[in-house]
């Protein structure tokens, strides 16, 4: 992503974002509320207005590629809320996730997703709207697996989950990176825990990149500690 | 009384078809289509044209009106709405656009009725098909055909929406278009399909409507209230709402008017649409999401595992 400026209509949210996501590593974006973290993911996926700048993927310019085309390229985006179809059953959600696949391949991918998320096997005929928060999040991640995701963008995947369930989700994200060659990009409020499982970290403040580097270095960075851990007083970046 | 009941069921059947289209396009595009009633009148005139020019019975012209109606629906979306949606027009602007499109259709229907009159040397600005209807053991054809159309439409929609990949995609797009797009679904195609179906069902209903009442180019203005009332009372956010609302409005309108005409005299017949209007206002005030938006309805759905 080079010098990206984006937002919604006349409201610019992101300013000159320069950022790189290494393949096969977990990249986490942290920052205070309103810093543009979610807008960043939406801009990557093509759900915002892009004023200038460039997004490239494997050398190809995808700045203005529509979302459904990006999905075909293996890029998935799971929003914080409304990330499953509540009126469809779990099975229908998995089927629709592989909309672009043919019959045999679709069944194969659904079986694969159910191997990674065996918790869903017993609830295939339940409406997604009746699932618990953790089950819904797992279903959302399973849908991404069905459609052969290579880059998985997750917006606050552990929001409103108990610490125990959040840990399950974090473990699954690590499993996706380690065992299934998926590159996760996370936006998380649970910043410390997310950075602990990540390889790369970026900190956004007021729509700009305030810091970027290894996740470990960000965890120990003074600005991160001032914003999230209250080690030093809150200061302007 | 039997005739009133038959009329009420036929009118309800046609309202269901008309309201189904209105609800579908509202869910997928987010705009209430004020031209829905004019779609039906276009269907009536297509049936009349085929009758006059090639002698085709209006019931047999239903497949043709269905396809031409679908094309009209898609044209409405492409010409009147898509350019505005691209410019991120507000919902109010889109509503006004459908109103303007309705006026254009009204003008075209009026002019066309005059042209047809000149060709056939008959008055085509007012017509009915009642004399062409058939009977099966005393049951009028309009009751049989309109009921069959509703049954086939519901069965077809059920098979499409629940048993096909495209149908599930359509339901997904209706619930959450941006997520559907993220899944690789071309949401634009599902919108186009809903406009096709909306126009097709309306024109199909329009080809049966002259068996029930006189048609003039302005008929759309009289029935549009009932169509909106059916969709809103049933629930504008749920396809089944059109089915529920269609029967409630159709039966209430016909039966209440009949009862009031007995009590107060035949003068009240011209005010039959007031009943639909009142039911619509009460629904908007008390429960804007309509019957299918109530907790009780959700319980029924859970019970039926829908």
């Amino acid at each position: 992503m080079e010098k990206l400026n984006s937002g919604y209509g006349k409201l610019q949210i992101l300013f000159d974002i320069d950022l790189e996501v290494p393949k096969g590593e977990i990249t986490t974006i942290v920052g205070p509320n309103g810093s543009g973290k979610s807008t960043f993911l939406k801009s990557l996926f093509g759900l915002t207005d892009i004023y200038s700048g460039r997004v490239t993927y494997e050398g190809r310019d995808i700045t203005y590629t529509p979302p459904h085309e990006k999905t075909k390229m293996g890029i998935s985006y799971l929003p914080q809320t409304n990330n499953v179809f509540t009126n469809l059953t779990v099975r229908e959600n998995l089927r629709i996730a592989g909309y672009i696949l043919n019959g045999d391949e679709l069944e194969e991918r659904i079986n694969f997703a159910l191997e990674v998320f065996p918790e869903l096997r017993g609830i295939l005929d339940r409406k997604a709207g009746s699932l618990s928060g953790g089950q819904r999040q797992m279903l959302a991640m399973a849908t991404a697996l069905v459609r052969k995701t290579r880059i998985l963008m997750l917006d606050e995947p552990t929001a409103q989950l108990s610490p125990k369930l959040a840990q399950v989700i974090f473990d699954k994200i690590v499993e996706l990176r380690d065992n299934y060659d998926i590159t996760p990009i996370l936006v998380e409020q649970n910043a410390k825990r997310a950075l602990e499982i990540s390889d790369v970290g970026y900190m956004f403040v007021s729509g700009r990149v305030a810091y970027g580097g290894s996740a470990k270095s960000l965890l120990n960075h003074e600005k991160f500690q001032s914003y999230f851990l209250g080690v030093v007083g809150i200061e302007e970046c | 009384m039997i005739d009133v009941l038959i009329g009420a069921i036929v009118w309800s059947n046609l309202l269901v078809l008309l309201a189904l289209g209105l609800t579908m396009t509202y869910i997928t595009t987010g705009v209430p289509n004020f031209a829905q009633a004019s779609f039906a009148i276009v269907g009536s005139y297509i049936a009349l044209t085929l009758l006059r020019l090639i002698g085709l019975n209006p019931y047999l012209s239903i497949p043709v009106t269905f396809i031409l109606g679908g094309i009209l629906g898609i044209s409405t979306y492409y010409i009147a709405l898509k350019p505005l949606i691209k410019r991120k027009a507000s919902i109010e602007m889109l509503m006004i656009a459908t109103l303007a499109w309705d006026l254009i259709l009204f003008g075209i229907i009026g002019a066309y009725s005059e042209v047809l009159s000149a060709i056939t040397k008959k008055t085509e600005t007012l017509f009915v098909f009642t004399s062409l209807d058939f009977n099966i053991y005393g049951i009028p054809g309009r009751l049989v055909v309109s009921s069959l159309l509703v049954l086939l439409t519901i069965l077809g929609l059920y098979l499409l929406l629940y048993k096909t990949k495209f149908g599930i995609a359509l339901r997904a797009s209706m619930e959450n278009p941006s997520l559907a797009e993220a899944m690789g679904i071309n949401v634009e195609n599902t919108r186009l399909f809903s406009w096709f179906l909306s126009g097709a069902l309306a024109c199909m209903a329009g080809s049966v409507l002259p068996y029930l009442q006189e048609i003039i180019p302005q008929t759309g203005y009289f029935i549009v209230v009932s169509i909106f009332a059916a969709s809103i009372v049933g629930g504008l956010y749920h396809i089944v709402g059109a089915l529920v609302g269609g029967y409630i409005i159709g039966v209430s309108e016909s039966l209440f008017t009949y009862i009031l005409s007995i009590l107060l005299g035949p003068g009240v017949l011209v005010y039959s649409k007031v009943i639909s209007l009142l039911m619509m206002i009460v629904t908007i005030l008390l429960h804007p999401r309509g019957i299918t938006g109530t907790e009780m309805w959700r319980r029924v759905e859970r019970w039926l595992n829908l």
Side-chain angles (χ1 to χ4, degrees), chain A residues 8 37-47 67 70-71 74-83 140 143-144 147 149 151-156 185 187, chain B residues 178-179 182-183:
Chain A
Y8 307 96
K37 305 185 298 290
S38 296
T39 305
F40 163 73
L41 291 188
K42 287 179 185 167
S43 298
L44 268 182
F45 199 59
L47 298 172
K70 283 183 179 147
T71 304
I75 301 172
S76 287
Y77 163 65
L78 297 181
Q80 184 183 351
T81 53
N82 299 326
N83 51 18
T143 61
R147 52 183 184 271
T149 291
I151 292 186
L152 177 59
M153 296 188 276
L154 299 137
D155 192 356
E156 311 243 3
I185 306 175
V187 157
Chain B
S178 53
L179 181 63
M183 299 284 181

Side-chain angles (χ1 to χ4, degrees), chain A residues 81-89 92-93 96 127-130 136, chain B residues 24 26-29 167-181 185 187 190 237 239 289:
Chain A
T81 53
N82 299 326
N83 51 18
V84 294
F85 297 105
T86 53
N87 290 324
L88 305 188
T89 63
E92 285 174 333
N93 267 282
I96 212 63
K127 280 249 181 100
S130 69
R136 271 195 211 195
Chain B
M24 278 192 81
Y26 181 76
I27 296 173
T28 54
T29 322
I168 299 172
L170 191 62
R171 281 162 60 211
S173 304
M174 286 174 173
E175 184 186 326
N176 188 340
S178 53
L179 181 63
E181 194 147 24
I185 296 167
V187 175
T190 60
Y237 303 90
I239 290 178
R289 295 186 77 87

Side-chain angles (χ1 to χ4, degrees), chain B residues 188-258:
Chain B
E188 183 67 6
N189 282 348
T190 60
R191 275 194 201 120
L192 273 179
F193 178 77
S194 71
W195 279 93
F196 174 87
L197 205 60
S198 175
L201 293 177
C203 276
M204 193 165 79
S207 62
V208 179
L209 192 61
Y211 286 99
L212 186 71
Q213 64 172 74
E214 285 178 340
I215 301 294
I216 55 173
Q218 295 92 328
T219 301
Y221 291 155
F222 304 125
I223 64 171
V224 72
V225 172
S226 308
I227 301 171
F228 269 81
S231 282
I232 289 169
V233 169
L236 206 43
Y237 303 90
H238 204 308
I239 290 178
V240 181
L243 186 69
V244 177
Y247 285 111
I248 289 176
I249 291 294
V251 171
S252 309
E253 214 177 73
S254 307
L255 294 187
F256 278 131
T257 313
Y258 174 70

